[in-house]
Amino acid sequence: MVVPTYNEVENLEELVRRVRKAAPEAGILVVDDASTDGTAALAAGLAAELGDVAVLERPAKLGLGSAYRDGFRRAIDEGADICVQMDADLSHDPDVLPALLANVELGADLAIGSRYVPGGLTENWPRRRRWLSRWGNRYAAGVLGLAVNDATAGYRAYRSDALAEMDFETVSADGYGFQIEMTHRLVRCGGRIVEFPVEFRDRRAGESKLSQGIVGEALGLVVRLWLADRRGRRLRRRSNG
Ligand SMILES: Nc1nc2c(ncn2[C@@H]2O[C@H](COP(=O)(O)OP(=O)(O)O)[C@@H](O)[C@H]2O)c(=O)[nH]1
Ligand SMILES: [Mg+2]
């Protein structure tokens, strides 16, 4: 379980305890980017108390994409068969964890906790943000032909072998773009994706750490990935004769 944190002192303890209860066999890795509110110290205390909790402390706020890359690398090096990503702000319900894990155990390369399949929803997000997310997803999936309803979801379980095969460390986007680029990469590698419905709840404590700029970045990324796909198709056509 890779849990990125930036100033999540109000949320992390409840999250870690609920994750441990829902999936006692899962090791937890908190990737903290020099939070100024004592999140790392809280995580260290939980590690000492509960065991099988580790803290990766990074020197500065280096972004969500790079937090996941470092976290996955460490989890795989320590022998994890499945890497789960989950926000620290309690937006992702720990009780869904066994279902996500089961989907990967049953053969999926990626199980997405999806807000946009029947049974899924976003609760208490302002209308503007809901609209942006819903249409951003339609745009990304439509342009790239992903056949995925929630490509920006941050609640996911990956088979570690699939992560290695798709060379995840070269995925460069950040924020929502990171989720889109990872999904795109996995689909192009022939990975199998399952979407499992989740009810996303906006954080009650603390504030969002993702800027609006990250949305524009994601839109540009979709165009770049589309162009790269097109170039790839052309090259293949040329080399086939
Ligand atoms: N390590 C790390 N975690 C981050 C960074 N930015 C956001 N996070 C964490 O990523 C998760 C999602 O961020 P959040 O602000 O809730 O995004 P939102 O739900 O889209 O508004 C939370 O657990 C944040 O603490 C970062 O730069 N580094
Ligand atoms: Mg959040």
Side-chain angles (χ1 to χ4, degrees), residues 129-146:
R129 199 154 177 200
R130 258 202 331 253
W131 189 91
L132 204 62
S133 170
R134 190 73 193 90
W135 283 96
N137 266 292
R138 286 184 172 130
Y139 161 77
V143 169
L144 298 173
L146 292 182

Side-chain angles (χ1 to χ4, degrees), residues 30-219:
V30 176
V31 182
D32 187 70
D33 276 4
S35 293
T36 51
D37 68 350
T39 301
L42 171 67
L46 290 165
E49 183 196 328
L50 301 172
D52 215 5
V53 176
V55 194
L56 177 57
E57 287 192 56
R58 307 199 312 162
K61 190 170 187 306
L62 300 173
L64 201 48
S66 98
Y68 285 129
R69 282 192 297 276
D70 284 1
F72 290 160
R73 168 49 48 215
R74 165 104 171 246
I76 291 170
D77 286 348
E78 292 187 3
D81 301 318
I82 299 176
C83 293
V84 179
Q85 53 172 78
M86 187 186 214
D87 290 354
D89 60 358
L90 298 166
S91 289
H92 299 150
D93 182 359
D95 292 342
V96 176
L97 206 46
L100 282 186
L101 292 170
N103 273 293
V104 176
E105 281 155 6
L106 289 171
D109 294 306
L110 164 61
I112 299 180
S114 176
R115 298 159 290 184
Y116 305 127
V117 293
L121 58 85
T122 31
E123 224 177 62
N124 63 12
W125 249 8
R127 182 195 288 263
R128 203 181 94 77
R129 199 154 177 200
R130 258 202 331 253
W131 189 91
L132 204 62
S133 170
R134 190 73 193 90
W135 283 96
N137 266 292
R138 286 184 172 130
Y139 161 77
V143 169
L144 298 173
L146 292 182
V148 165
N149 295 283
D150 196 350
T152 58
Y155 195 13
R156 308 169 160 224
Y158 286 96
R159 178 187 307 284
S160 297
D161 290 346
L163 282 176
E165 195 173 322
M166 65 191 258
D167 200 11
F168 72 94
E169 277 163 300
T170 61
V171 168
S172 55
D174 197 16
Y176 306 117
F178 177 78
Q179 319 295 2
I180 295 172
E181 192 174 355
M182 291 286 285
T183 308
H184 174 260
R185 187 79 70 95
L186 188 85
V187 168
R188 291 293 173 267
C189 287
R192 283 162 300 199
I193 299 181
V194 170
E195 287 185 274
F196 188 86
V198 299
E199 299 184 356
F200 178 97
R201 280 188 184 77
D202 199 15
R203 59 167 71 245
R204 254 168 278 159
E207 54 195 40
S208 174
K209 278 85 195 179
L210 296 183
S211 65
Q212 291 298 316
I214 219 108
V215 174
E217 208 178 297
L219 295 181

Side-chain angles (χ1 to χ4, degrees), residues 1-2 19-20 23-29 51-54:
M1 300 279 323
V2 176
V19 165
R20 183 49 52 84
E25 74 285 5
I28 301 170
L29 174 62
D52 215 5
V53 176

